[in-house]
Amino acid sequence: MRRIPSRLWLLCALYFVQGLPFGFQVTALPVYLRTRGVSLAALGFAGALSLPWMLKALWAPLVDRYGSERVGRRRSWILPMQAGLALACAGAAFAAGRESLPLLLGLIFVMNLFAATQDIAVDGFAVDLLRPEELGLGNTAQVVGYKLGMLTGGGLLVWASASIGWSGLFLVMSALCLTVFTIVLFVREPPPREAEGPESAKLDWPALWARIKSALTVPGTGWLLLFIGTYKLGETMSDVLYKPFLVDAGFTPARIGLWVGTWGTAASLLGSTCGGLLAARLPLLRAVALTGTLRLLPLAGRWLLTQAGVSDAGVLGVTLTEEFFGGALTTVMFAFMMSRTDRRIGATHYTLLASVEVAGKAPAGPLAGLLADPKFGNLGYGNMFLLGVALSAAFLALLAPLRRNVPTPAAPQPAS
């Protein structure tokens, strides 16, 4: 059996700790706030705590521009962000123990800021570290590590909080961050590849901006951005309405949580792993086409549930299949995005592509809610699930122009 390189385990650990605070915010924080009497209207604004993840492209050039040669271009950012994240988690333990809600919310924002900034550096580190044939497995480490972090921060530790309390939850998160920090301390960052030139870490601002402009004006970039920005739109619109559909169909929250939150997450992790293996064996666009096509089956299955009626077997089958193929597609797409990245500005370029991915699916939730609501669009669950299938199929139509116009990362230029 082929041994997994240690650098992939390292990337998995780094993405794992980045998923901890976001997992807590999206899954556990609403529970924590509601148990303390926070109104539903106020809960709606809790999403603003994740703004650093939406805006990280704004300071990504700083991460590419500055770094210590002695410590390492990427480790110069990863280490302080790790330490800051550990301290913020420890501070959150104090705030939770004192029932200081404003301080706790502020620290969760700081956690996301540290984690999002570390994500920029780790993405650049992955671009620097992975060879072309390792992109599939490397992005498996990325997606699986992050999902495991979210599952731990938003699931396992919340379950354990019944015994260790909310303060104990944050202390465990802090300890996990310090553990990975210690590992990174003893990691030697590889030198720049010869093809990139010995000065690859020393781009001045004019050269950096010129490189960004070159990466964004390569012929075919418009098709690439449209491709990345739309691949999750239909799926996300369907996902937003799937849990309310199950509630209205008479399933209990406990059963929905078990099937979607626990078994569904396991299926997603398995799918992400298989997607990475697929990306290592097929041309990346072919892997995207295959997983994107297979994803249509469970999305259409959701519509079928609205027509033929729900059953335990039907709901469970559709749920697990959608999570599996959705996870596989995510990993393959991230590998494709990394293959299109200019390594000289790897942190900035990949972050820009990832930001397009996030921005592309951001309107899906509000739009789906409005179109399905009886007071507005009144399309209902069935028609909205069909719309999700149609948009996901339309995304596959972009494969043809993308194959003809796929941009090639700018070639490295010699240092002057």
Side-chain angles (χ1 to χ4, degrees):
M1 184 175 181
R2 185 181 176 185
R3 187 175 66 88
I4 298 176
S6 58
R7 56 183 170 273
L8 297 184
W9 290 113
L10 174 63
L11 289 175
C12 187
L14 288 167
Y15 285 113
F16 170 82
V17 296
Q18 290 166 202
L20 288 172
F22 192 68
F24 176 83
Q25 181 194 321
V26 299
T27 305
L29 183 61
V31 176
Y32 179 87
L33 295 178
R34 191 60 177 162
T35 59
R36 278 146 184 81
V38 175
S39 69
L40 293 176
L43 283 177
F45 291 95
L49 298 176
S50 63
L51 274 177
W53 289 99
M54 297 282 290
L55 303 177
K56 63 180 181 174
L58 296 178
W59 58 90
L62 293 172
V63 179
D64 262 324
R65 172 66 182 87
Y66 297 108
S68 165
E69 292 183 20
R70 184 173 62 86
V71 177
R73 181 185 183 188
R74 306 306 184 187
R75 288 173 74 246
S76 298
W77 288 89
I78 295 173
L79 287 171
M81 293 303 109
Q82 284 267 277
L85 184 56
L87 287 173
C89 291
F94 172 82
R98 294 294 184 92
E99 297 285 336
S100 178
L101 190 56
L103 177 59
L104 177 62
L105 295 179
L107 286 167
I108 291 173
F109 179 86
V110 171
M111 288 181 210
N112 279 320
L113 179 62
F114 285 136
T117 305
Q118 177 184 305
D119 185 60
I120 299 169
V122 175
D123 285 343
F125 189 49
V127 170
D128 297 342
L129 202 61
L130 298 174
R131 296 189 290 268
E133 65 273 16
E134 293 179 326
L135 290 180
L137 291 177
N139 283 274
T140 298
Q142 175 192 21
V143 176
V144 170
Y146 192 81
K147 288 181 178 179
L148 285 173
M150 289 189 64
L151 179 62
T152 301
L156 296 178
L157 290 180
V158 176
W159 170 77
S161 67
S163 301
I164 63 177
W166 292 100
S167 293
L169 177 151
F170 288 115
L171 287 176
V172 173
M173 287 174 58
S174 180
L176 290 171
C177 294
L178 284 176
T179 300
V180 178
F181 171 85
T182 304
I183 294 172
V184 178
L185 272 179
F186 294 96
V187 171
R188 182 184 177 189
E189 186 170 331
R193 301 184 187 186
E194 291 182 7
E196 295 167 9
E199 302 296 318
S200 64
K202 294 183 177 180
L203 287 177
D204 57 21
W205 280 111
L208 177 63
W209 291 119
R211 200 78 187 181
I212 294 172
K213 181 180 178 181
S214 174
L216 295 178
T217 54
V218 173
T221 297
W223 287 111
L224 175 66
L225 297 180
L226 182 62
F227 190 69
I228 294 171
T230 58
Y231 93 103
K232 280 284 186 179
L233 180 60
E235 178 186 325
T236 304
M237 292 182 72
S238 181
D239 285 346
V240 166
L241 296 175
Y242 187 54
K243 288 179 184 177
F245 164 71
L246 294 179
V247 171
D248 291 349
F251 290 92
T252 64
R255 183 174 294 184
I256 295 171
L258 176 64
W259 289 356
V260 180
T262 304
W263 295 356
T265 299
S268 179
L269 290 169
L270 180 60
S272 295
T273 303
C274 292
L277 296 173
L278 189 67
R281 287 163 172 75
L282 290 180
L284 290 174
L285 275 180
R286 190 180 301 174
V288 172
L290 177 60
T291 52
T293 301
L294 292 173
R295 176 186 61 168
L296 296 177
L297 299 177
L299 292 180
R302 289 177 174 177
W303 170 80
L304 190 60
L305 290 174
T306 67
Q307 305 302 304
V310 297
S311 65
D312 287 4
V315 170
L316 190 57
V318 167
T319 299
L320 297 184
T321 307
E322 198 285 325
E323 292 288 350
F324 179 87
F325 288 129
L329 177 59
T330 298
T331 300
V332 170
M333 178 61 80
F334 281 11
F336 174 70
M337 288 161 53
M338 193 167 286
S339 75
R340 298 299 91 201
T341 299
D342 182 347
R343 292 181 179 273
R344 286 286 300 276
I345 51 168
T348 299
H349 195 185
Y350 188 82
T351 297
L352 287 170
L353 296 181
S355 297
V356 170
E357 191 262 351
V358 173
K361 61 188 179 184
L367 186 60
L370 287 173
L371 291 176
D373 194 291
K375 296 181 180 179
F376 295 96
N378 197 27
L379 291 183
Y381 291 121
N383 289 330
M384 288 304 303
F385 290 153
L386 269 184
L387 179 59
V389 175
L391 290 173
S392 298
F395 152 76
L396 294 174
L398 293 173
L399 283 164
L402 193 67
R403 284 195 179 100
R404 294 193 300 267
N405 301 279
V406 61
T408 302
Q413 302 170 359
S416 57

